[in-house]
Amino acid sequence: MPSPLILVNLKTYKEGTGNRAHMIAQAAELVARESGATIGVAPTLIDLHPIAHHFAIPVYAQHVDGVEPGAHTGHITADAIRTAGAVGSLVNHSERRLTLADIEASVKALQAQKLSAVVCTNNEATSAAAAALSPDYVAIEPPELIGSGVSVSKANPEIIQRSVATVRQVNPKVRVLTGAGIQSGDCVKIAIDLGTDGVLLASSVVKAKDPGVVLRDLVSRL
Ligand code: G3P
């Protein structure tokens, strides 16, 4: 059984960019080492290469396009993500919505580079569609709770339970994350007890005065 994944999406928060991205990655590496937990970060594309090279934690891109290297201005290829040292990428976040065809192309591009695909979804139907593409993870996040400070684990545990069941039914090899408002060890424990393989979160760590304190709390009940 791989250990649960705590994946921190730095989004484009000012508090998660540049020096702060390094500071958060450093705290994540320290807490991961102390606790034995798996803590990953998804920095902006600008910070991807330096973070992946400076730290021994799993680093993910926030987006990848399903295109081959070549004449595609402004695109992000899976090949470039792998070269930068990332282990995978988020695909289709509520803040970066893609069509099903785009999601499929992105997942295939990641798989071709042996990178991990974390497809974000917003309900059970999209979770089922995502699971059918056989990504490594489906991450279910009710959009109304994202950045709200209200945890999906406490406000809507039913959606976690139903999504886990849906994904398992479509493809039992796909692991499930959940996110939105995750902020404490209690939230993580509830999510794992409901059958997930970890959490995807952002603001509680990124906007914290001391991200290390929040990270320690997040892994405290694993
Ligand atoms: O990708 C994680 C994210 O959408 C959840 O955000 O701020 O509610 O933890 P947050």
Side-chain angles (χ1 to χ4, degrees), residues 9 11 13 93 95 141 145-148 180-182 200-203:
N9 178 3
K11 303 197 174 181
Y13 284 122
H93 196 278
E95 295 154 1
E141 303 193 310
L145 296 178
I146 292 177
S148 68
I182 299 288
L200 176 61
L201 76 160
S203 50

Side-chain angles (χ1 to χ4, degrees), residues 120-218:
C120 302
T121 58
N122 58 346
N123 58 37
E124 288 153 73
T126 56
S127 300
L133 302 173
S134 299
D136 295 83
Y137 291 95
V138 166
I140 167 82
E141 303 193 310
E144 67 281 7
L145 296 178
I146 292 177
S148 68
V150 178
S151 160
V152 61
S153 297
K154 296 186 178 171
N156 198 351
E158 300 80 16
I159 196 172
I160 302 177
Q161 231 161 358
R162 289 198 307 265
S163 303
V164 168
T166 303
V167 170
R168 297 264 182 280
Q169 203 175 2
V170 174
N171 188 341
K173 288 199 182 132
V174 175
R175 283 169 276 171
V176 181
L177 303 180
T178 193
I182 299 288
Q183 51 197 285
S184 69
D186 279 356
C187 305
V188 175
K189 170 133 181 42
I190 293 169
I192 289 175
D193 287 349
L194 291 170
T196 70
D197 301 280
V199 295
L200 176 61
L201 76 160
S203 50
S204 66
V205 171
V206 179
K207 295 172 103 176
K209 203 165 155 204
D210 185 345
V213 170
V214 181
L215 286 164
R216 274 195 191 91
D217 186 8
L218 287 165

